[in-house]
Amino acid sequence: MTVDNLKKGNEIERRIYELEKMQNWIENEKRSVSIIASGCTVNETVLLSDDMRTEMLGMCIGERARLIKEFEEL
């Protein structure tokens, strides 16, 4: 394994870990999930609906699967 592959593998593992945390939070129905938008003049929080939680969960699962495959190909 080259140094570049090792660095890439570490980055992929970090991203998978973050996605797992996000997925666990979304799957817990007792927790509310929001998106926080911040900018130069505006800070706003938007609560996600059940449909959006489902969409976000699907995106997490899909991205984790893609990253796991990419990691295995290293």
Side-chain angles (χ1 to χ4, degrees):
M1 179 177 273
T2 66
V3 173
D4 287 338
N5 281 354
L6 182 60
K7 288 179 183 178
K8 186 169 182 128
N10 287 337
E11 175 64 19
I12 290 170
E13 282 185 326
R14 185 193 63 77
R15 290 174 60 194
I16 290 170
Y17 173 76
E18 293 297 326
L19 285 166
E20 285 173 351
K21 284 193 326 187
M22 185 174 166
Q23 182 176 339
N24 289 335
W25 190 277
I26 292 171
E27 287 177 331
N28 187 338
E29 294 178 6
K30 294 179 183 177
R31 292 180 168 166
S32 62
V33 179
S34 301
I35 294 177
I36 299 172
S38 63
C40 296
T41 59
V42 176
N43 294 319
E44 190 170 338
T45 302
V46 178
L47 186 64
L48 295 183
S49 68
D50 289 341
D51 289 341
M52 280 306 299
R53 282 178 78 133
T54 302
E55 290 292 324
M56 291 293 289
L57 182 59
M59 290 181 352
C60 284
I61 293 169
E63 183 65 5
R64 279 184 59 219
R66 187 189 71 74
L67 287 171
I68 289 168
K69 181 178 179 186
E70 184 177 342
F71 183 81
E72 289 172 352
E73 290 174 353
L74 291 177

